[in-house]
């Protein structure tokens, strides 16, 4: 009976296929081994470091200033007269007006600018060291018996036992 969809085959042909695959795997005349290593991928991220706030407060202080001021005084002087006779009639209608002045202090406040405070940013570059352990692969050649191995890069022969 023939092989029906590969389900019914004789064991002899199947064993020959398995033997052929084994020969291919064991009969390698060359091969390659890829080596790998780790490298650093450094990413810098901007993060908030804080904030600077400029503000001002009002501070009050008492100030005392001596201001010289002038005012007038009326000096009354009485001079006795030796009871001399007078023709004038006695009356209350005679008056003398003497204006008196004085300096009065008036205080006004005004604002002046004394200082300006400004803030700006600048970029400062510095160096920061990072330390990390990296892995890499190394090739090792182990031989058994008397096998000569030549390095294809032109270096000396490698003989291991």
């Amino acid at each position: 009976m023939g092989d029906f969809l590969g389900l019914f085959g004789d064991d002899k042909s199947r064993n020959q296929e398995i033997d052929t695959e084994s020969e291919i795997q064991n009969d390698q005349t060359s091969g390659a081994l890829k080596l790998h290593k780790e490298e650093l991928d450094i990413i810098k991220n901007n993060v908030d470091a804080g904030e600077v706030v400029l503000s001002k407060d009002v501070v009050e202080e008492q100030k005392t200033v001596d201001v010289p001021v002038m005012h007038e005084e009326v000096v009354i002087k009485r001079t006795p007269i030796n009871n001399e006779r007078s023709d004038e009639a006695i009356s209350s209608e005679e008056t003398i007006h003497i204006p008196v002045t004085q300096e009065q202090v008036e205080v006004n406040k005004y604002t002046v600018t004394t200082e300006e405070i400004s803030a700006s940013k600048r970029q400062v570059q510095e160096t920061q060291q990072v330390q990390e352990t990296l892995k890499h692969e190394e090739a090792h050649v182990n031989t058994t018996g008397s096998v000569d191995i030549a390095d294809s890069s032109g270096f000396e022969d490698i003989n291991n036992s």
Side-chain angles (χ1 to χ4, degrees):
M1 182 176 202
D3 189 2
F4 182 71
L5 297 176
L7 297 175
F8 303 103
D10 60 358
D11 290 336
K12 191 174 185 182
S13 65
R14 188 173 294 166
N15 286 341
Q16 286 177 349
E17 289 175 13
I18 292 173
D19 289 340
T20 307
E21 289 175 10
S22 298
E23 288 174 15
I24 293 173
Q25 289 176 356
N26 292 333
D27 190 22
Q28 293 179 346
T29 58
S30 66
L33 181 66
K34 294 184 179 179
L35 302 180
H36 302 87
K37 71 174 184 176
E38 293 178 333
E39 291 189 356
L40 294 178
D41 182 18
I42 297 175
I43 300 171
K44 298 186 289 183
N45 296 315
N46 287 332
V47 295
D48 287 337
E51 173 180 55
V52 173
V53 177
L54 290 180
S55 63
K56 60 182 182 178
D57 291 328
V58 176
V59 178
E60 293 182 357
E61 64 177 310
Q62 291 289 350
K63 189 154 196 150
T64 302
V65 179
D66 292 331
V67 179
V69 291
M70 184 275 305
H71 70 276
E72 295 177 328
E73 296 179 336
V74 176
V75 178
I76 306 289
K77 179 180 177 184
R78 291 183 174 215
T79 308
I81 301 179
N82 294 327
N83 290 325
E84 293 179 11
R85 191 177 272 246
S86 173
D87 292 342
E88 292 183 24
I90 296 177
S91 95
S92 61
E93 292 180 15
E94 187 177 356
T95 59
I96 299 173
H97 294 273
I98 301 172
V100 178
T101 61
Q102 70 178 10
E103 292 179 331
Q104 191 173 36
V105 177
E106 179 182 343
V107 177
N108 295 311
K109 294 187 272 185
Y110 57 93
T111 304
V112 295
T113 303
T114 60
E115 187 176 12
E116 179 179 77
I117 299 175
S118 63
S120 62
K121 295 191 313 183
R122 66 177 179 186
Q123 291 185 347
V124 178
Q125 184 150 1
E126 61 184 22
T127 302
Q128 182 177 358
Q129 287 187 342
V130 293
Q131 196 168 17
E132 187 64 44
T133 303
L134 300 177
K135 298 177 186 175
H136 70 276
E137 299 172 339
E138 292 181 354
H140 297 285
V141 178
N142 295 322
T143 62
T144 55
S146 177
V147 177
D148 289 334
I149 299 175
D151 189 351
S152 66
S153 59
F155 297 112
E156 72 227 23
D157 286 347
I158 304 171
N159 289 317
N160 293 329
S161 305

